[in-house]
Amino acid sequence: MKINDYNFAGKKAIVRVDFNVPLDENGHVTDDTRIRGALPTLKKILADGGSLIIMSHMGKPKGKVNPKMSLGQIKDVVSKALDAEVTFAPDCAKAAEQAAALKPGEVLLLENLRFYPEEEGKPVGIDKEDPAYDEAKKAMKVAQKEFAKTLASYADVYVNDAFGTAHRKHASTAVIADYFQPENKMLGYLMEKEVQAVDNVLSDIKRPFTAIMGGSKVSTKIGIIENLMDKVDNLILCGGMTYTFAKAMGGNVGDSICELDKLDLALEIMKKAKEKGVNLVIGTDCVAGDAFSNDCNTQICSVMSIPDGWEGLDAGPDSRKAFADAIESAKTILWNGPAGVFEFDNFTAGSRAIADAVVKATKNGAFSLVGGGDSVACVNKFGLADEVSYVSTGGGALLEAIEGKILPGIAAIKG
Ligand code: AMP
């Protein structure tokens, strides 16, 4: 079922959102992006004349009640954002009466789902090595189903709008869907947008397609690189992984970040790219520093000959130009991971050159998806988030989707 086609009038909807928002030491919300992200879905339900049961996790309480991670702290912010009265259910497994009492237009916010170990379905207080672990896990899976069933009993319809947890098979993100008929479960608007954005870069590709993979290590990105190799025209590999490639090619990378056990993997990637006709773009020069700090001394040098005592901290001018060339002509762009240590203001030039080129290509009609952790922080730092086509809200979930993995939260609804 599509949310837009569903009339929520007179229905109770239980909606999984990602309200895992950052709080300051007084419990005040410091960034409400995630709350705002869910508003189109929540408002549609209320505007139709439905009532809302909102559920989310916050932080990692690991199956225990922790007042510092109580969703009660954000009740007023949610109420203001929805322009509606919000009642709070302090025990999400015992909210049946409160849910039953809801009238159209009313909202119930459940306590942090992860106060219950059943939400994640992992046994707590028992070591994986313990011989009793497997039994405990089995028992927990049964309890997880019961918990999901209880949550499901509160509502007529289930909506999942939490892309950030779509890669988890938790009670509220996937298991609960078993208790609703296909016509009574659906993705929310935010989820639909995320799924569409992923589809644009994995299936419905306009060419040329340039993917930019940065960040610190090749080992954490290998699954994505392998999946993209069959799809992209240009593959830019930048950031810390540059130096693993340079070393593999026989270069001297000085003190740069370098995965010595991944040199063969780097050569294998280069070979595969050649076989598949992918234009692999790896930086040729870098901005090297004599310490891992913003104020260190710097010099521009070839990535193949970085002096000992120096480390590559950003892409050099030739590399930036090569990156921009491969990006500006693209019609589909995926960017994950910075081209340098962008947290240091003196080493943002590589990431900035990429961001500028992505914005330029987007203005020329390209579809650009930025996502997966630090590249989002990067476009935000540059104030360019509104100038790319889509900034994903899901770090790990987006990365798994791009690796080609099925996300349980989406599969539970779409089958
Ligand atoms: P990731 O989480 O793998 O996407 O990595 C992001 C991190 O990579 C950021 O914190 C960057 O500071 C870091 N990074 C990017 N380029 C380099 C580099 N040349 N040396 C060390 N760290 C880097």
Side-chain angles (χ1 to χ4, degrees):
M1 174 54 76
K2 287 244 172 230
I3 183 166
N4 224 23
D5 301 332
Y6 197 89
N7 186 351
F8 290 88
K11 305 273 188 196
K12 289 191 172 76
I14 189 157
V15 187
R16 176 56 157 104
V17 293
D18 180 3
F19 282 178
N20 182 23
V21 289
L23 303 176
D24 66 16
E25 60 279 11
N26 299 315
H28 295 135
V29 177
T30 53
D31 180 354
D32 67 350
T33 310
R34 288 183 170 152
I35 295 175
R36 282 188 283 114
L39 288 182
T41 293
L42 302 179
K43 285 191 168 171
K44 143 91 175 157
I45 294 167
L46 293 178
D48 275 3
S51 48
L52 262 180
I53 300 148
I54 301 176
M55 57 178 174
S56 176
H57 75 284
M58 179 181 271
K60 292 182 177 166
K62 303 214 162 114
K64 290 203 186 85
V65 174
N66 181 338
K68 285 208 171 102
M69 297 177 199
S70 171
L71 282 170
Q73 300 170 99
I74 69 166
K75 184 179 97 119
D76 292 346
V77 177
V78 175
S79 169
K80 205 165 160 212
L82 285 174
D83 196 16
E85 196 69 37
V86 175
T87 313
F88 183 63
D91 187 337
C92 51
K94 294 193 181 119
E97 270 181 36
Q98 282 174 291
L102 284 174
K103 296 194 184 63
E106 292 183 347
V107 184
L108 180 66
L109 172 66
L110 303 187
E111 179 57 287
N112 191 343
L113 292 157
R114 289 192 190 165
F115 285 1
Y116 278 82
E118 289 88 345
E119 166 62 359
E120 294 181 76
K122 276 191 234 139
V124 281
I126 176 160
D127 201 78
K128 271 198 177 145
E129 309 303 316
D130 194 312
Y133 183 83
D134 283 351
E135 274 309 306
K137 198 170 165 197
K138 258 192 227 155
M140 181 50 83
K141 287 289 165 204
V142 174
Q144 185 182 47
K145 281 192 183 164
E146 274 310 305
F147 183 58
K149 199 172 165 189
T150 301
L151 295 171
S153 72
Y154 300 158
D156 307 300
V157 45
Y158 167 63
V159 184
N160 189 352
D161 212 17
F163 186 68
T165 47
H167 57 318
R168 306 281 182 223
K169 196 174 177 189
H170 291 171
S172 69
T173 61
V175 185
I176 187 174
D178 289 347
Y179 301 98
F180 291 90
Q181 294 300 318
E183 62 275 19
N184 289 324
K185 56 184 169 186
M186 64 206 74
L187 303 179
Y189 287 119
L190 178 64
M191 273 281 234
E192 279 187 349
K193 273 202 284 181
E194 296 277 357
V195 170
Q196 181 62 51
V198 170
D199 198 51
N200 284 353
V201 297
L202 290 187
S203 315
D204 188 17
I205 304 166
K206 311 256 180 316
R207 299 203 173 272
F209 176 12
T210 297
I212 309 135
M213 303 303 303
S216 52
K217 293 178 177 174
V218 65
S219 53
T220 56
K221 303 282 160 91
I222 185 63
I224 301 175
I225 292 172
E226 278 177 346
N227 195 34
L228 288 176
M229 199 68 95
D230 289 324
K231 303 181 191 297
V232 295
D233 302 291
N234 304 299
L235 180 58
I236 298 173
L237 298 180
C238 55
M241 68 179 105
T242 309
Y243 310 99
T244 302
F245 282 87
K247 180 88 182 169
M249 287 186 277
N252 181 359
V253 297
D255 294 356
S256 305
I257 186 169
C258 177
E259 290 177 280
L260 290 174
D261 59 336
K262 294 289 177 288
L263 302 184
D264 287 345
L265 180 67
L267 293 175
E268 188 61 26
I269 290 172
M270 292 169 75
K271 190 167 152 241
K272 261 198 197 150
K274 209 167 190 181
E275 282 165 10
K276 291 182 188 283
V278 170
N279 173 34
L280 193 61
V281 185
I282 299 176
T284 50
D285 61 348
C286 67
V287 184
D290 61 357
F292 190 79
S293 96
N294 187 44
D295 303 316
C296 61
N297 297 306
T298 63
Q299 61 169 306
I300 307 288
C301 55
S302 159
V303 297
M304 299 295 283
S305 52
I306 303 172
D308 290 344
W310 292 73
E311 58 187 301
L313 294 173
D314 197 8
D318 290 348
S319 308
R320 287 176 229 151
K321 168 130 194 353
F323 297 165
D325 286 347
I327 295 167
E328 283 174 14
S329 57
K331 283 285 168 270
T332 301
I333 299 167
L334 169 67
W335 181 18
N336 168 265
V341 186
F342 78 103
E343 296 92 335
F344 297 157
D345 286 345
N346 291 335
F347 299 96
T348 56
S351 304
R352 178 83 214 198
I354 289 173
D356 287 341
V358 173
V359 167
K360 195 166 167 191
T362 309
K363 285 205 175 100
N364 285 333
F367 174 81
S368 52
L369 168 57
V370 179
D374 276 328
S375 30
V376 175
C378 232
V379 288
N380 284 336
K381 179 165 179 155
F382 303 144
L384 295 173
D386 291 339
E387 297 190 50
V388 299
S389 308
Y390 195 70
V391 178
S392 175
T393 59
L398 179 78
L399 296 183
E400 289 199 14
I402 304 169
E403 275 183 53
K405 290 187 184 156
I406 307 274
L407 303 185
I410 292 166
I413 284 176
K414 288 187 143 188

